[in-house]
């Protein structure tokens, strides 16, 4: 663990105080500046809930934090096996942090599979809390342990805390009318109580949560509360935990404001609701459940009071078809999916390009190809978003960089879609979707004005003086066509996927017209107003690291490490991937070396090299996990020195 450094005199005073506390039977309390905890167990052990509750209390305490949930792709993987391990990692600190951390300082392992699946990530000296009740001969053999790792010396380099979590939980609940199996289910709450004591986390929020969650089953609520309190008391009384830890609130990390902990999918949902209110349009979501995007559908279904309508379609194609119909009808229309769903939606996205209607296509990327790794993260849909349609069908692409940034990215995607009358692809990923961090709730006057003006009457005069409505007569600034709501008298017009005639919108097979329409649609996308790329370069570096999407946290953490070590390196991060910022070419050519880390095989690097003829170097990873800061720092140092 990383702790604050004391002077020799302070250390001597602390030693004296420590001895006095020990003699008085009071446990030592040590101050740390940050810690990384990983809860791991079977997918049925409640590790995600445990991590969520610990995170919520940490957020309410005022620490900066970043989380990494990691769970099996199978709905119910075989119990006690390595593929069935579910984990939740939380990094929290008294200062600004950017990632869930590289290596856990503390591992809570609920069974042998959880220990074996995660031990390689722990540094020597890390604390391991294991549920000894689960280390049976059969359970250990199932994951390849010939002898107990708790007894064979293989864990001598760690601080091991063997705790019979199951037995202690059952004992704590002996007065409840529960079967042993029912009582055992509360062992995650016992572990949460122990860790809450160990790191001085608040408890009121968790107690309120449990009472609310099990309001219809008060005895289950009280049993979980009893297990939670028993875990806290165990930490307070057992001699195995002689030290607890304090991590002060990150008072200097945040601007003044009201904060809450938020995940990427929740931030996206709130951003979509905010966009609909700022545009004064009803929000319509046409979607089909798919990991890891389904949470957006679940969340938006709760907000009918804000004019949100959600439609769970029978398949991906029906979902986007309904959304495009809602766009034609005057709604802020959204469809959510992951990579496989984007493939199915591609024809309708092309139809939206042809109809030139605003539509948000939100792709929460995951590992592929095909079904791939549904619960793991990847950035491999960029080229699909850019080119994955028949014909010349350009769409803008926006990518958030952190869980909280998903809120702003949703507003930006809506701005582009509504202003330029175009479908927009928003590329999040599983890391952002499920991860969380503190988010400052914006004031209403900070949100952009997204109001739109529907067509109200004729907009063109024929040679004979007749006033008519031309659905493809464009705004000279944005090249957007008018948005005419069905039912408006005099604005009837033809729609469909066959090529339109410029201006009138009539069907046209004329070669010259098709050439013109292809070029004008491309020009509209190329002309979208996006901010210039900001470059962080305090020391006139010769090497630039360029990223996009969720690589922001690991890249920034790696850059900080290098600068602390005296290295000079510049950093820039793209939000807009189509069109690129207008100054991107000049930025790239200002550096001798450009390194692009991506969780794919080099898709942004391919686009950059093709468009700007810059010898950009890829650094790639496609293992379903986000980059580690130390790993990136090493690669970037090699690039600087190479």
């Amino acid at each position: 663990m990383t702790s604050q450094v004391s002077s020799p005199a302070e250390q001597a005073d602390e030693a004296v105080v420590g001895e006095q506390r020990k003699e008085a039977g009071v446990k030592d309390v040590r101050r740390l500046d940050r810690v990384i905890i990983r809860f791991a167990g079977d997918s049925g052990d409640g590790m995600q809930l445990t991590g969520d509750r610990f995170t919520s209390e940490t957020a309410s305490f005022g620490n900066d934090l970043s989380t990494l949930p990691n769970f099996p792709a199978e709905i119910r993987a075989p119990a006690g096996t390595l593929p069935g391990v579910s984990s939740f990692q939380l990094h929290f600190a008294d200062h600004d942090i950017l990632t869930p951390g590289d290596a856990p300082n503390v591992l809570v392992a609920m069974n042998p599979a959880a220990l074996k699946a995660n031990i390689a990530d722990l540094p020597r000296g890390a604390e391991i809390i294991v549920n000894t009740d689960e280390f049976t001969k059969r359970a250990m053999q199932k994951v390849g342990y010939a002898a107990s790792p708790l007894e064979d010396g293989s864990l001598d380099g760690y601080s091991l805390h063997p705790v019979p979590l199951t037995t202690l939980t059952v004992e704590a609940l002996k007065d409840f009318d529960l079967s042993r199996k029912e009582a055992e289910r509360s062992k995650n709450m016992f572990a949460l109580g122990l860790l809450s004591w160990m790191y001085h986390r608040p408890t009121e929020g968790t107690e309120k949560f449990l009472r609310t969650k099990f309001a219809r089953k008060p005895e289950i609520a009280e049993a979980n509360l009893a297990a939670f309190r028993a875990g806290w008391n165990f930490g307070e009384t057992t001699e195995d935990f002689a030290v607890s830890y304090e991590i002060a609130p990150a008072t200097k990390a945040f601007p003044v404001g009201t904060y809450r902990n938020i995940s990427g999918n929740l931030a996206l949902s709130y951003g979509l609701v905010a966009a609909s209110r700022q545009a004064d349009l009803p929000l319509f979501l046409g979607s089909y459940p798919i990991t890891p995007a389904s949470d957006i559908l679940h969340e938006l279904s709760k907000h009918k009071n804000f004019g949100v309508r959600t439609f769970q379609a029978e398949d991906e194609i029906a979902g986007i078809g309904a959304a495009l119909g809602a766009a034609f009808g005057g709604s802020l229309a959204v469809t959510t999916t992951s990579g496989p769903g984007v493939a199915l939606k591609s024809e309708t996205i092309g139809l939206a390009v042809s109809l030139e209607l605003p539509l948000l296509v939100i792709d929460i990327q995951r590992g592929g190809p095909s079904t791939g790794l549904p619960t793991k993260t990847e950035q491999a849909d960029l080229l699909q978003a850019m080119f994955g349609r028949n014909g010349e069908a350009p769409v803008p692409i926006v990518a958030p960089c952190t869980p909280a940034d998903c809120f702003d990215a949703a507003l930006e995607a809506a701005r582009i879609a509504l202003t330029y009358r175009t479908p927009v692809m928003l590329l999040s990923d599983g890391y952002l979707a499920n991860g969380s961090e503190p988010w400052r709730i914006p004031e209403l006057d900070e949100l952009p004005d997204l109001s739109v003006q529907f067509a109200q009457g004729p907009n063109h005069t024929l040679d004979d003086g007749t006033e008519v409505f031309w659905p493809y007569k464009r705004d000279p600034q944005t090249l957007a066509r008018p948005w005419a709501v069905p039912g408006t008298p005099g604005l009837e017009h033809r729609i469909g996927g066959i090529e339109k005639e410029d201006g009138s919108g009539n069907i046209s097979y004329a070669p010259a017209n098709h050439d013109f329409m292809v070029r004008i649609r491309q020009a509209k996308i190329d002309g979208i107003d996006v901010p210039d790329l900001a470059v962080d370069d305090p020391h006139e570096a010769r090497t630039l690291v360029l990223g996009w999407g969720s690589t922001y946290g690991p890249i920034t953490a790696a850059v900080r490490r290098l600068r602390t070590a005296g290295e000079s390196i510049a950093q820039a991060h793209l939000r807009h991937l189509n069109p690129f910022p207008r100054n991107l070419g000049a930025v790239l050519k200002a550096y001798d070396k450009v390194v692009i880390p991506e969780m794919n095989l080099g898709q942004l690097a391919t686009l950059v090299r093709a468009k700007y003829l810059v010898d950009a170097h890829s650094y790639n990873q496609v293992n379903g996990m986000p980059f580690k800061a130390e790993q990136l720092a090493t690669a970037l140092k090699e690039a600087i020195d190479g």
Side-chain angles (χ1 to χ4, degrees), residues 186-403:
S186 296
K187 63 180 180 290
N188 63 325
M189 288 297 104
F190 189 100
L192 178 60
L194 172 58
L195 269 292
S196 297
W197 168 83
M198 195 172 174
Y199 289 95
H200 294 251
R201 297 297 90 184
T203 61
E204 295 82 2
T206 294
E207 295 194 2
K208 181 179 179 181
F209 168 82
L210 290 172
R211 287 197 172 94
T212 301
K213 181 176 177 64
F214 298 107
R216 296 184 179 180
K217 298 180 179 179
E219 185 168 337
I220 298 297
E222 291 304 317
N224 277 282
L225 284 167
F228 177 67
R229 291 166 182 161
W232 177 285
N233 293 334
F234 178 77
E236 184 73 32
T237 57
T238 183
E239 295 182 1
D240 193 40
F241 292 90
V243 178
S244 64
Y245 304 94
E246 287 185 350
I247 296 91
T251 53
K252 297 180 181 179
F254 308 118
V256 175
T258 301
Y259 287 79
R260 60 156 295 166
N261 183 51
I262 201 165
S263 68
N265 274 350
L266 185 57
L268 255 176
S269 301
Y270 288 174
L272 293 171
V273 175
S276 77
R277 305 311 294 169
Q278 293 303 105
D280 195 23
L281 298 174
L283 178 65
F284 180 90
L285 174 67
S287 189
Y288 180 75
I290 184 171
T291 302
S294 299
D295 287 342
I296 302 172
L297 172 61
H298 300 160
E299 181 61 34
L300 288 180
S301 68
K302 303 174 184 177
H303 297 291
K304 297 180 180 66
N305 56 313
F306 288 116
V308 178
R309 287 173 291 176
T310 52
F311 170 60
Q312 181 174 319
E314 66 268 28
D315 55 40
E316 295 281 5
I317 299 171
I320 190 173
L324 185 55
F328 178 62
S331 293
L332 176 59
V334 185
T335 189
T336 53
T337 190
S338 189
V342 174
L344 292 166
K345 295 177 189 290
S346 62
E347 183 178 3
T348 307
I349 297 173
L351 176 59
V353 171
S354 176
L355 296 180
E356 301 191 41
L357 286 171
L359 173 67
L360 302 186
V361 181
I362 295 175
D363 176 8
I364 313 298
Q365 300 167 96
R366 72 190 205 190
S370 186
T371 305
L373 306 174
T375 60
K376 311 302 181 183
T377 195
E378 205 163 277
Q379 285 184 298
D381 294 349
L382 176 56
L383 294 183
Q384 181 179 215
M386 185 75 76
F387 303 119
R389 291 161 298 283
N390 63 295
E392 294 287 347
V395 298
I397 303 172
V398 174
C401 63
T402 69

Side-chain angles (χ1 to χ4, degrees), residues 68 292 365-368 373-380 428-433 550 599 621-627:
L68 177 62
Q365 300 167 96
R366 72 190 205 190
L373 306 174
T375 60
K376 311 302 181 183
T377 195
E378 205 163 277
Q379 285 184 298
S428 179
D429 60 43
Y431 172 37
L432 296 184
S550 65
M599 293 188 295
Q621 171 179 296
V622 280
N623 62 5
M625 298 294 288
F627 284 111

Side-chain angles (χ1 to χ4, degrees), residues 425-440:
M425 295 283 294
L426 189 152
L427 297 183
S428 179
D429 60 43
Y431 172 37
L432 296 184
N434 297 315
S436 63
E437 66 177 353
W439 171 58
R440 187 181 71 83

